[in-house]
Amino acid sequence: MSAVALADDRTDRMSRTAAPRWAFLRERGMGASILVAGISSAFGVLLVSVTGFLAAILRADPYLGDSGTLAFVLSFLTVILVGVAVYVAGIVTANTFATVVAGRTRQIALMRLIGASARAQRQEVARQGLVVGVIGALGGLVAGTGVAALGVVVGTELLGLDGVSYGVVTGELLVPATIVALTTWVAAWAGSRRVLTVTPMQALGGAVEVTREEVVRRTGRNLTAVALFAVGGALLAAGIALGLVTPLGVAVAFIGGIFSFTGIALGASLLMPPVLRLIGRLFGGSATARLAAENALRYPERSSRMAIGVVMGVTLVTMFAVAIESTKAVLTASAGGELLTEMAAVLDTFAAVMMGLVAVSAVIAAVGLVNLLTLGVVQRRRELRLLRALGLTAPQVRRVVLLEAAHLTIAALATGLVLGVAYGWAGAQSLLGSVSGDPSLPPGPTFVWPAVPLVPVLIVVAATAVLTLVAAVVPTRLATRVAPVEALAE
């Protein structure tokens, strides 16, 4: 039977059993994408509500009521934290849809065979992304508003704020929900760019991922990633140097951080394989270990999509922890070797609050890893069946999948720790390098090396180990359900 006849036969059967328009919501990956959008939206709504509630408390205070600086700081932190969460959610969603598109290669190619254009197929994926974003954003809006309302009532009672009045339900709450919905739409569009390269002849194949050779040949994207990283690194260095003269150096360093990390995210398929190869050597030379290492390296884009979310989560948490510790080091050095107790207490409190808020972005990244690992196993069922047919037992297949998860998370942990230390130190040094830690002393340039807090780093390592085990639960269960005989029938 020819390829065209085979495609026509399958297309007829597909049309006779056409799924409802919203059936895509039942696909693996969509539920996790809705969850990511929901968490981001709820987080944004909560931050907006908390900021508004704190502003109401400040307005009721006779001493701080007219402080525009405090109101600006609160609003600035809200924008930054919501922006970070949306940024992480956008990359996780784009990676999820890229993986979904790779799994739909055969279906997309069949549609191309019967006359559908690649642009129309991509628009359909983007529409699905918008639907997922709207559902998640609305769910997060409702959940976040409910939690905020409860928090305001409890906070008013516990703090005895009888003279403070604040209405939770405001038009401002629609802003983060709208941003999340639109970001998910754009991320789905970005993640579906591979639709444009699917050919009709791929209707005879299965899930198709980009190989190592294809990654190297993407000159334009690779050069852009390298250029962004180089420019960002230069701006980071310039910000640190400028920070020895003025606190405005942090603005330059901030832009450098955005540029450099965007370059890392864009060029992850170039950055992660060497790290994965190095980590792979730690797992020994058994058959399962070699299979796990080779699977992570064979399709670098898929592995990079899985790892980059964890890299972002680890980087963010480590960055804030190192920034606070380096801030203490800078202020201690500029104050003559001793930091005021009150200042240290304020910094510790601020660090605890910020770590808790940033942890939301890490949770989003963790959801992305679990989702992508599950999708990867689902799309590799034929490969896993062949392994079973060749003699691997179910426990060995389970071990391969678990080692793949460990491989990816350890590589992401190592990369994220290095980036987090660099970014956190750069932020503290560029902001406070010219500030004196003792008001009685004249300001002057102060340079310190990165200060790395042990406890937060150990917590990050432990959390990553737990994430590895949790992320591998569903994929390993799916992997051991494959029947060897089915591989011979395909």
Side-chain angles (χ1 to χ4, degrees):
M1 183 180 290
S2 67
V4 174
L6 177 62
D8 288 340
D9 178 65
R10 290 186 176 180
T11 304
D12 289 340
R13 285 190 280 114
M14 287 172 60
S15 62
R16 288 195 299 269
T17 60
R21 185 173 178 81
W22 308 105
F24 71 90
L25 291 174
R26 294 197 295 268
E27 290 187 36
R28 288 192 180 274
M30 294 302 172
S33 298
I34 292 175
L35 178 60
V36 165
I39 294 173
S40 303
S41 178
F43 181 58
V45 168
L46 279 172
L47 280 178
V48 170
S49 299
V50 168
T51 303
F53 185 51
L54 290 176
I57 295 174
L58 292 177
R59 285 193 299 269
D61 190 290
Y63 300 102
L64 301 175
D66 297 328
S67 177
T69 302
L70 285 175
F72 171 78
V73 169
L74 289 173
S75 300
F76 180 75
L77 286 176
T78 298
V79 171
I80 292 297
L81 290 170
V82 173
V84 167
V86 170
Y87 180 79
V88 174
I91 291 182
V92 168
T93 302
N95 288 338
T96 297
F97 273 88
T99 305
V100 169
V101 167
R104 290 184 187 174
T105 300
R106 178 182 292 183
Q107 175 186 341
I108 294 170
L110 282 171
M111 297 302 295
R112 296 290 307 279
L113 274 174
I114 62 176
S117 66
R119 186 172 299 276
Q121 291 293 294
R122 192 180 189 191
Q123 288 173 348
E124 175 63 17
V125 175
R127 182 191 70 82
Q128 294 173 2
L130 180 60
V131 172
V132 166
V134 170
I135 294 174
L138 288 177
L141 174 62
V142 173
T145 303
V147 173
L150 179 62
V152 168
V153 173
V154 173
T156 302
E157 289 293 329
L158 292 178
L159 299 176
L161 304 174
D162 297 330
V164 176
S165 176
Y166 177 70
V168 174
V169 181
T170 63
E172 294 176 349
L173 301 184
L174 294 175
V175 175
T178 302
I179 291 174
V180 167
L182 294 177
T183 301
T184 306
W185 181 30
V186 173
W189 175 265
S192 64
R193 62 185 178 275
R194 186 164 171 77
V195 170
L196 302 176
T197 66
V198 175
T199 63
M201 286 305 296
Q202 287 177 305
L204 301 177
V208 177
E209 289 283 0
V210 177
T211 63
R212 271 181 279 191
E213 292 73 17
E214 290 174 311
V215 167
V216 174
R217 287 199 298 266
R218 293 187 307 196
T219 309
R221 180 174 177 175
N222 294 340
L223 288 177
T224 301
V226 172
L228 283 171
F229 181 75
V231 171
L235 288 174
L236 274 173
I240 292 170
L242 184 61
L244 296 173
V245 180
T246 171
L248 293 178
V250 71
V252 178
F254 179 74
I255 296 173
I258 293 176
F259 272 56
S260 59
F261 195 85
T262 301
I264 290 171
L266 189 63
S269 53
L270 292 178
L271 171 68
M272 295 310 300
V275 182
L276 289 167
R277 187 176 292 108
L278 181 63
I279 298 299
R281 295 174 182 172
L282 304 177
F283 288 89
S286 65
T288 52
R290 291 202 305 271
L291 274 173
E294 185 57 33
N295 282 337
L297 290 170
R298 184 173 47 178
Y299 297 113
E301 189 171 63
R302 180 175 64 191
S303 300
S304 301
R305 283 199 300 263
M306 295 179 184
I308 195 63
V310 181
V311 170
M312 287 189 294
V314 173
T315 298
L316 287 171
V317 175
T318 306
M319 178 181 70
F320 277 98
V322 171
I324 295 297
E325 200 69 18
S326 296
T327 295
K328 291 180 182 179
V330 172
L331 293 178
T332 300
S334 63
E338 185 176 354
L339 184 63
L340 296 176
T341 306
E342 294 82 0
M343 178 67 72
V346 169
L347 288 174
D348 288 337
T349 302
F350 180 74
V353 173
M354 292 300 294
M355 292 283 284
L357 294 174
V358 171
V360 175
S361 298
V363 170
I364 293 173
V367 172
L369 174 66
V370 175
N371 188 35
L372 290 174
L373 275 173
T374 303
L375 283 173
V377 170
V378 170
Q379 293 174 3
R380 289 162 48 207
R381 279 179 175 171
R382 185 178 184 181
E383 173 189 327
L384 296 174
R385 288 166 184 158
L386 284 172
L387 290 176
R388 293 294 308 280
L390 291 172
L392 261 70
T393 63
Q396 285 178 313
V397 171
R398 185 186 299 114
R399 180 175 170 80
V400 168
V401 176
L402 179 60
L403 286 177
E404 281 186 44
H407 199 173
L408 290 167
T409 51
I410 292 175
L413 172 66
T415 305
L417 286 175
V418 171
L419 293 176
V421 170
Y423 287 138
W425 169 72
Q429 182 64 53
S430 61
L431 176 64
L432 300 170
S434 62
V435 177
S436 175
D438 187 345
S440 63
L441 297 176
T446 304
F447 182 87
V448 299
W449 293 108
V452 182
L454 181 60
V455 173
V457 170
L458 291 177
I459 292 175
V460 169
V461 173
T464 304
V466 173
L467 173 62
T468 301
L469 297 176
V470 172
V473 169
V474 175
T476 52
R477 187 180 302 162
L478 292 173
T480 54
R481 287 178 182 174
V482 297
V485 70
E486 293 180 16
L488 305 177
E490 295 185 354

